Amino acid sequence: MIVVLEQSATEQQISKIRKYLVDHGLQIREIVGEKETILGAVGQVVIDPRTVELLSGVSKVIPISKPYKLASREFQKEDSVFNIGPVKIGGSRLVVIAGPCAVESREQIIEAAKAVREAGAVILRGGAYKPRTSPYSFQGLGEEGLKYLKEAGEITGMPVATEVVSTSDVELMAQYIDVYQIGARNMQNFELLKKVGSMNMPVILKRGLCATINEWLMAAEYLLSSGTNKVILCERGIRTYETYTRNTLDISAIPVVQKLSHLPVIVDPSHATGLRNKVLPMSLASVAAGADGLIVEVHPNPEEAMSDGPQSLYPVQFQKLMADVQAMASVVEKELARLPHKSISNKSKDKAVPTGLKVAFQGEHGAYGELAVTRYFSQQEVEPFPVPSFADVFEGVLKGDFPWGLVPLENTLGGSIHDNYDLFHQYPDIKIFGEIKLRVRHNLMVNKGTRIEEVKEAYSHPQALAQCTAFLKKHDIKPMVYYDTAGAAAMVAQEKDPSKAAIASIRAAEFYDLEILDEGIETDPLNFTRFALIGRDDLPQLENPDRASLLFALPDETGSLVRCLTLLAKYDLNLTKLESRPIAGKPWSYMFYTDINLPAQTEKFHQALEAMKDVVSDLRVLGLYKA
Ligand code: PEP
Ligand code: MN
């Protein structure tokens, strides 16, 4: 049952309620939400819930209708978000786990770890105890394998995941690993579930070969009721009459489970299909269906793999998978999890940013800029800090008021945000350290209880209104210009007039406690804004950048632009953007702003930069970063 506490409940009342429940044989989990605190009480309920409702401090008691309790959405409305080492999983994050089926040798796992890390994986997998169908197949290296796995994780900075097959290995394994994996064949090994659950560590629970969703969630319940609250469900294909693929990937299980449970759901496209050329399409389908992550088998040399070679990706295939998955992630408004880079986790080397670290954005709370900040820093605790203008973001970062700022550079429908390009020119000590592409989804929001028929006017920034014209026409709602989207949401919340709605981000609805009547009301769904993360240029640059942004001016002579572009082509550098801007105070003179795709080896780029100095003037590197 769920015991919702009164907001005014005192500590003393709460401990009395707890004692009452515990005395009646129930286990308790406390969930402190923004608006209410609840006690989840599970176990064999022998008391009448009405007696609990009568205790002072209790607001109401709600029975949980499902057989699984701690795993259910009824128990916890919000998505579970938790850490696996430094990596956060759940909510809007997309976590990619990759590595070989089995740890075969020290060299093999280190090579695999480096390859998957370089492509963007954030957790390393590799089996040391392999539950094989045949007793004559390779059974894994055991503890020796765990040692190599741990070492490979340390070298590459990734937490490690590995399968546990026996209760007697559970404690030993905890010294080496960050997350346990319960394999499909052991999903209903209840003694193993109880033992692993009691370790209080993250666990990946694979769906059994023939398990229903209910059985799978009941297995999760075993883990949760044994102590841990960090369970990741993994869909890995189920057995059907189809034999073309090794198993049949149940894509629809993802949204089904996400409705029933708050736990993150990841997909294993490798075991689901058994065929490496099916892994990419199934990964994209899983992300499109809302998966919170992927676990993919990658081997440095799949033909020589000791297990599951035919389904293991070559490292180059995995690189392509990561690029495509990233493109798909922004469509479903997820952010690919990155390991925090050193300059972001400033000062203390390994620690994440201290809580309360401020990141500046232009606008008010609820602005799209704030949403972009929370998505960019989805792996860290930061405080998005609103400032009135883009110039204030640059100025605050320069003065050191904020270590980071996030500013929009361009929108796929509206084009470049020139103010910010000009600010880079004015602030030579500010550089770009990263970028994020945010899908702009407009939502119609109202005060709680308002029906759409009551809404007569929608307030928002003129650009947002223009992007929602078809929707507004259809519902006969008048567009009303407001200075910005979040400001409009604040006004609607304050006025409480049911004829007024706002068009703004999901973050604005949360912040101003408005109800979203309709989401994604923009006419063109391909509406993305690219934001740049800016910081002072005395911070260390990121490792493995793949994009460079440059600013330069050209001498006023025939062919100067062609000479510059020819030079970039000569060094095999692919230009993704070129834009000219007038230079303030110098009528009819222009700066050129360009983005370049960086090859893995950046020497060519640096050689090209040297050569460019002879053909352009005022050359500045705005940043080398990950696009
Ligand atoms: C594995 O991940 O290597 C594995 C054996 O998976 P499953 O339990 O899903 O078959
Ligand atoms: Mn395998």
Side-chain angles (χ1 to χ4, degrees):
M1 70 180 86
I2 291 169
V3 182
V4 182
L5 301 178
E6 277 171 356
Q7 273 180 344
S8 57
T10 62
E11 280 303 319
Q12 209 181 10
Q13 285 171 331
I14 298 173
S15 59
K16 271 199 178 154
I17 300 165
R18 278 176 164 279
K19 184 167 181 322
Y20 184 85
L21 296 169
V22 172
D23 287 349
H24 286 82
L26 297 171
Q27 264 191 51
I28 300 176
R29 289 286 172 94
E30 183 171 327
I31 301 176
V32 183
E34 263 175 39
K35 302 203 179 72
E36 59 187 21
T37 298
I38 65 167
L39 296 180
V42 295
Q44 277 187 349
V45 182
V46 287
I47 35 173
D48 183 339
R50 283 172 300 187
T51 60
V52 181
E53 206 155 55
L54 288 173
L55 299 174
S56 52
V58 174
S59 152
K60 60 184 167 192
V61 174
I62 309 164
I64 303 177
S65 63
K66 300 282 187 310
Y68 40 88
K69 311 289 179 192
L70 299 169
S72 77
R73 271 269 178 220
E74 292 171 58
F75 177 76
Q76 183 180 315
K77 286 196 202 79
E78 272 108 47
D79 290 343
S80 268
V81 175
F82 49 84
N83 276 78
I84 301 169
V87 178
K88 275 203 173 104
I89 187 164
S92 64
R93 301 157 188 84
L94 184 71
V95 169
V96 179
I97 305 168
C101 178
V103 180
E104 297 166 5
S105 68
R106 181 173 176 272
E107 293 67 36
Q108 173 251 14
I109 190 67
I110 292 175
E111 193 181 344
K114 285 183 177 163
V116 299
R117 175 71 206 107
E118 207 188 339
V122 288
I123 299 175
L124 176 65
R125 65 150 286 154
Y129 302 94
K130 297 303 302 175
R132 306 302 299 281
T133 306
S134 161
Y136 310 117
S137 305
F138 174 59
Q139 306 284 313
L141 296 182
E143 188 174 358
E144 190 189 352
L146 295 177
K147 285 185 185 155
Y148 300 151
L149 182 68
K150 182 175 159 78
E151 187 185 351
E154 281 167 359
I155 291 173
T156 50
M158 285 185 285
V160 299
T162 199
E163 180 166 355
V164 54
V165 294
S166 161
T167 47
S168 58
D169 298 329
V170 174
E171 299 207 8
L172 168 95
M173 289 174 74
Q175 307 165 29
Y176 298 104
I177 66 167
D178 301 280
V179 46
Y180 289 101
Q181 178 179 316
I182 305 271
R185 288 154 198 83
N186 273 316
M187 189 202 84
Q188 284 189 319
N189 181 341
F190 300 118
E191 291 311 309
L192 185 63
L193 294 173
K194 283 193 264 182
K195 179 72 191 157
V196 171
S198 75
M199 299 298 287
N200 234 326
M201 279 173 55
V203 187
I204 296 170
L205 177 65
K206 294 241 186 153
R207 182 177 179 182
L209 296 140
C210 297
T212 64
I213 287 173
N214 246 311
E215 287 164 343
W216 188 18
L217 290 170
M218 288 308 289
E221 192 72 13
Y222 263 93
L223 289 167
L224 294 165
S225 63
S226 306
T228 184
N229 53 7
K230 299 176 178 171
V231 176
I232 301 140
L233 298 163
C234 177
E235 164 60 45
R236 45 78 74 205
I238 46 175
R239 180 146 308 167
T240 67
Y241 52 81
E242 181 52 67
T243 53
Y244 191 91
T245 46
R246 183 170 172 182
N247 292 291
T248 299
L249 180 58
D250 184 6
I251 293 269
S252 63
I254 305 163
V256 169
V257 167
Q258 283 173 335
K259 179 137 196 285
L260 297 173
S261 176
H262 51 87
L263 299 171
V265 185
I266 64 170
V267 172
D268 175 344
S270 310
H271 292 87
T273 61
L275 301 165
R276 80 168 65 88
N277 65 359
K278 303 292 178 280
V279 169
L280 174 65
M282 289 304 98
S283 298
L284 293 179
S286 304
V287 175
D292 298 292
L294 296 170
I295 178 163
V296 182
E297 285 189 343
V298 182
H299 196 287
N301 206 345
E303 308 92 89
E304 284 170 23
M306 296 167 93
S307 58
D308 289 347
Q311 70 195 33
S312 299
L313 297 185
Y314 289 89
V316 288
Q317 290 178 308
F318 182 64
Q319 274 169 20
K320 162 130 178 53
L321 181 145
M322 288 303 293
D324 289 3
V325 157
Q326 182 168 21
M328 180 61 85
S330 50
V331 175
V332 290
E333 297 178 84
K334 292 230 180 210
E335 192 53 31
L336 207 53
R338 291 169 272 229
L339 288 176
H341 68 79
K342 291 201 184 75
S343 63
I344 289 184
S345 45
N346 24 352
K347 294 175 198 116
S348 56
K349 263 208 185 105
D350 306 313
K351 266 207 202 138
V353 175
T355 11
L357 185 96
K358 287 181 185 153
V359 183
F361 67 94
Q362 183 275 328
E364 295 185 33
H365 281 299
Y368 286 95
E370 181 172 29
L371 188 58
V373 169
T374 58
R375 293 266 165 86
Y376 188 94
F377 289 95
S378 67
Q379 292 293 319
Q380 283 150 296
E381 294 292 327
V382 296
E383 181 194 340
F385 196 88
V387 297
S389 70
F390 294 134
D392 292 321
V393 179
F394 279 78
E395 191 62 34
V397 170
L398 183 70
K399 286 205 300 221
D401 296 343
F402 323 103
W404 306 105
L406 206 66
V407 291
L409 291 182
E410 57 183 326
N411 173 267
T412 47
L413 303 180
S416 291
I417 291 107
H418 290 125
D419 290 357
N420 285 323
Y421 287 135
D422 295 346
L423 284 162
F424 277 114
H425 193 222
Q426 289 163 31
Y427 286 85
D429 296 323
I430 297 293
K431 287 232 157 75
I432 301 177
F433 287 84
E435 73 163 40
I436 176 170
K437 295 183 190 84
L438 182 82
R439 178 161 176 203
V440 180
R441 298 209 82 198
H442 294 309
N443 308 284
L444 187 76
M445 55 194 71
V446 293
N447 285 290
K448 292 208 166 122
T450 305
R451 286 169 298 116
I452 192 146
E453 305 81 62
E454 298 175 84
V455 176
K456 300 285 170 268
E457 298 174 338
Y459 289 77
S460 197
H461 187 274
Q463 214 169 34
L465 292 170
Q467 289 171 356
C468 301
T469 313
F471 175 89
L472 295 176
K473 248 199 191 126
K474 182 172 152 208
H475 292 279
D476 204 15
I477 299 172
K478 199 168 159 206
M480 304 292 288
V481 169
Y482 212 72
Y483 65 94
D484 79 2
T485 57
M491 181 276 286
V492 166
Q494 199 182 10
E495 291 201 3
K496 300 213 170 358
D497 175 348
S499 72
K500 291 180 178 166
I503 295 178
S505 77
I506 184 171
R507 177 105 189 151
E510 281 162 14
F511 195 84
Y512 298 107
D513 208 13
L514 294 174
E515 184 176 332
I516 292 182
L517 274 187
D518 214 331
E519 57 181 32
I521 62 169
E522 63 278 3
T523 314
D524 187 341
L526 295 179
N527 186 355
F528 292 85
T529 299
R530 183 175 155 232
F531 288 83
L533 179 75
I534 61 170
R536 285 162 56 120
D537 75 349
D538 45 15
L539 289 166
Q541 286 275 318
L542 248 178
E543 285 162 27
N544 305 325
D546 58 13
R547 175 71 58 86
S549 293
L550 308 180
L551 199 60
F552 58 86
L554 288 169
D556 185 13
E557 54 191 49
T558 317
S560 58
L561 180 59
V562 168
R563 271 198 293 283
C564 173
L565 298 183
T566 312
L567 203 148
L568 291 172
K570 187 178 138 201
Y571 284 93
D572 271 342
L573 294 168
N574 182 16
L575 218 68
T576 54
K577 179 178 174 120
L578 180 66
E579 175 141 350
S580 66
R581 286 292 297 151
I583 302 176
K586 277 197 193 171
W588 319 119
S589 311
Y590 298 87
M591 290 299 294
F592 288 84
Y593 176 93
T594 123
D595 289 340
I596 293 172
N597 275 348
L598 285 179
Q601 264 69 39
T602 48
E603 291 103 67
K604 266 200 180 155
F605 169 72
H606 291 290
Q607 288 163 3
L609 268 190
E610 274 309 303
M612 269 177 87
K613 288 183 184 154
D614 296 334
V615 289
V616 306
S617 54
D618 203 5
L619 174 63
R620 284 221 342 256
V621 179
L622 294 184
L624 305 185
Y625 53 95
K626 259 207 168 0

